[in-house]
């Protein structure tokens, strides 16, 4: 390790290690913002999956190797559609159309599903009678190397790794044309435009037995549906 830090021959390796560290920080920021949703929806590969995405993003950043800016806005497509669990995605169960709107301050987001029908819910467990939708917004700051520390730090620490979760009330699986709006109120402050707001939507199922509702633990999925 001492040679890597001091020997010029290892400069390229040191720079790549620096960027790997930044990607790991981005991965941790997203997982912190997701909060308990990681425990509910994710598999054990989520951290490494997000770190790999972070490495992809930093390659798109400006600057020299080891000091390139890491920003999800460099390549938001890298995050879109990824699922917290590799084998259980949102689209495996949920086919409804939706729209996403945000106010000018970027601190209030709405996910609107104009008509949720029974045919929009696919591959549901046979015993499932109800469903719940969970929406999450996670803010992720750009990361850059600061001269004083010579390490990657978030440009906006006050907005970094912050998450808000909204869960719908229990909804019958056998529904027709039910409108659903999910509001996510992040903060009272305006959110700068270079901060990425990652939006996640998940579905889980419940079963009613003798008027008691039970969570079905296996059949569920959450995916990234937008980057604002």
């Amino acid at each position: 390790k001492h040679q890597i830090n001091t020997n010029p021959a290892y400069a390229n390796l040191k720079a790549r290690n620096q960027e790997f560290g930044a990607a790991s920080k981005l991965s941790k920021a997203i997982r912190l913002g997701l909060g308990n949703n990681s425990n509910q929806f994710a598999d054990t590969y989520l951290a490494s999956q997000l770190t790999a995405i972070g490495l992809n993003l930093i390659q798109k950043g400006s600057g020299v190797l080891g000091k390139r800016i890491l920003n999800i806005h460099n390549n938001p497509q890298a995050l879109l559609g990824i699922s917290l669990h590799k084998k259980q995605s949102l689209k495996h169960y949920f086919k409804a159309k939706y729209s996403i709107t945000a106010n000018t301050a970027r601190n209030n987001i709405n996910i609107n599903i104009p008509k949720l029908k029974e045919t929009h819910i696919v591959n549901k467990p046979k015993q499932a009678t109800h469903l719940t939708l969970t929406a999450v917004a996670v803010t992720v700051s750009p990361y850059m190397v600061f001269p004083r520390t010579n390490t990657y730090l978030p440009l906006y620490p006050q907005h970094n790794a912050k998450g808000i979760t909204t869960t719908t009330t229990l909804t019958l699986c056998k529904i027709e044309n039910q409108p659903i709006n999910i509001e996510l109120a992040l903060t009272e402050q305006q959110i700068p435009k270079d901060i990425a707001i990652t939006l996640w939507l998940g579905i889980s199922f419940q079963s009613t037995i003798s008027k008691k509702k039970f969570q079905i633990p296996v059949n569920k999925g959450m995916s990234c549906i937008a980057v604002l």
Side-chain angles (χ1 to χ4, degrees):
K1 185 176 181 181
H2 176 73
Q3 278 193 342
I4 293 174
N5 289 329
T6 58
N7 191 329
Y10 289 97
N12 191 63
L13 178 59
K14 181 182 177 182
R16 293 193 182 280
N17 285 345
Q18 178 103 316
E19 292 191 346
F20 180 83
S24 297
K25 289 180 179 180
L26 180 133
S27 170
K28 185 177 181 180
I30 294 175
R31 287 181 285 117
L32 283 173
L34 286 168
N36 289 332
N37 296 293
S38 292
N39 297 329
Q40 183 180 355
F41 291 95
D43 58 20
T44 56
Y45 300 100
L46 179 61
S48 59
Q49 181 182 200
L50 292 174
T51 299
I53 291 171
L55 288 171
N56 174 289
L57 292 167
I58 206 167
Q59 290 172 12
K60 308 289 184 181
S62 60
V64 298
L65 182 67
K67 295 185 177 181
R68 291 182 288 192
I69 295 174
L70 173 56
N71 191 339
I72 292 176
H73 283 148
N74 290 344
N75 184 22
Q77 294 295 327
L79 197 60
L80 285 176
I82 75 150
S83 301
L84 300 190
H85 194 294
K86 286 186 176 182
K87 295 183 179 179
Q88 298 195 73
S89 64
L90 174 69
K91 66 181 181 181
H92 182 73
Y93 301 105
F94 185 78
K95 301 296 183 181
K97 293 182 178 180
Y98 52 84
S99 62
I100 299 167
T101 57
N103 62 349
T104 54
R106 305 180 76 235
N107 58 11
N108 190 279
I109 298 166
N110 283 271
I111 302 171
N112 183 257
I113 305 165
K115 293 181 179 181
L116 185 59
K117 302 179 182 180
E118 183 180 2
T119 54
H120 293 150
I121 312 302
V122 296
N123 299 313
K124 69 180 179 66
K126 290 182 179 180
Q127 69 270 37
T129 57
H130 294 75
L131 64 89
T132 300
L133 296 175
T134 301
V136 192
V138 180
T139 54
V140 185
S141 167
Y143 281 79
M144 60 183 296
V145 175
F146 284 80
R148 289 185 180 180
T149 60
N150 198 34
T151 57
Y152 275 95
L153 295 171
L155 185 59
Y156 301 95
Q158 72 274 25
H159 290 296
N160 192 49
K162 306 297 182 184
I164 184 74
T165 298
T166 300
T167 302
T168 63
T169 56
L170 280 175
T171 303
L172 283 168
C173 292
K174 294 183 178 181
I175 51 175
E176 287 300 327
N177 298 326
Q178 179 173 335
I180 293 178
N181 185 75
I182 308 173
E183 182 180 12
L184 294 158
L186 284 84
T187 174
E188 294 182 356
Q189 302 174 351
Q190 182 169 336
I191 297 177
K193 290 185 178 181
D194 49 347
I195 286 181
I197 304 173
T198 65
L199 286 183
W200 306 76
L201 186 62
I203 187 170
S204 55
F205 296 96
Q206 290 78 30
S207 178
T208 301
I209 302 174
S210 300
K211 296 184 179 181
K212 293 184 179 180
K213 294 181 175 63
F214 298 90
Q215 184 85 19
I216 299 174
V218 177
N219 302 80
K220 55 191 174 184
M222 178 176 281
S223 302
C224 181
I225 61 170
V227 175
L228 306 178

